[in-house]
Each structure stands twice: as C-alpha cells, then as structure tokens.
Amino acid sequence: MRVMNDMFRPFLDNFVLVYLDDILVYSRTWDECHVKKVLDVLKKEKLYVKLSKCEFGKSSLVYLGHIVDNGKLKIDPSKVDAIMKWLEPTNIIEV
C-alpha cells in the first residue's frame, strides 16, 4: 500500500484512487482521461497490470463495496441485504 501511495502521490485524489493493489482512474470526460499517465508510472516502476482484470471506459462500476455510477456513490445492495432482511424486534429481549 505504501509503495502504491508513493508511486501515485502526485495523482492521488486528482484522478487516481488506490486501495492495496486496486487502482481506480477517473475523469469527467474522455478528453481528460489519465490512464496513460498511470500506465507510464507502472511501467517506470516495472509493475504490470493483468489485462483480464482491467476495465476501461466504464460509467458505472462496483469498487470496494460501493457502486460508482455517473459520479454518484451508492452502497452495493448485496452488502446490506442481510441487514435489510432482519425482522423487526417485537419485544425488549429481541432489541
């Protein structure tokens, strides 16, 4: 995590989010896409991505238990499904 943060420090919170070995590159438009900058940093540090794990050009995705959809952040319903199905307590013992 420290290595990833050090490598991407100039980009963090501008157009890159890093969690362990997950890298999220974001932009508002295709014109300001920064994927090449991120790939150049990885290449310089002799680190590689696995193409089968990469997704490009997505406007909606699941990341760290959240759904990022057109600039909005939502909780992934599958993560709170069990809580939503809890029965309401009917007496003081159940509370």
Side-chain angles (χ1 to χ4, degrees):
M1 185 73 188
R2 185 178 58 86
V3 169
M4 296 292 275
N5 280 328
D6 288 346
M7 280 186 339
F8 292 112
R9 187 161 317 284
F11 306 144
L12 290 178
D13 298 326
N14 291 325
F15 55 86
V16 172
L17 291 174
V18 175
Y19 181 76
L20 298 176
D21 63 348
D22 288 336
I23 304 168
L24 178 65
V25 183
Y26 56 90
S27 63
R28 294 190 188 279
T29 67
W30 279 106
D31 293 333
E32 56 182 56
C33 183
H34 302 285
V35 173
K36 183 168 179 356
K37 290 179 186 176
V38 171
L39 292 174
D40 287 344
V41 168
L42 290 169
K43 183 178 179 181
K44 182 180 131 206
E45 298 294 329
K46 295 184 172 69
L47 296 172
Y48 304 94
V49 297
K50 187 171 186 176
L51 192 57
S52 63
K53 291 185 175 183
C54 296
E55 298 180 46
F56 298 97
K58 308 266 301 191
S59 61
S60 175
L61 63 110
V62 177
Y63 185 72
L64 301 177
H66 292 81
I67 298 173
V68 182
D69 186 21
N70 288 318
K72 295 188 171 113
L73 189 63
K74 306 173 193 170
I75 295 175
D76 185 354
S78 68
K79 300 294 182 188
V80 294
D81 191 44
I83 296 170
M84 299 303 289
K85 290 180 179 176
W86 280 352
L87 297 175
E88 286 189 35
T90 56
N91 58 47
I92 195 73
I93 303 293
E94 291 177 356
V95 173

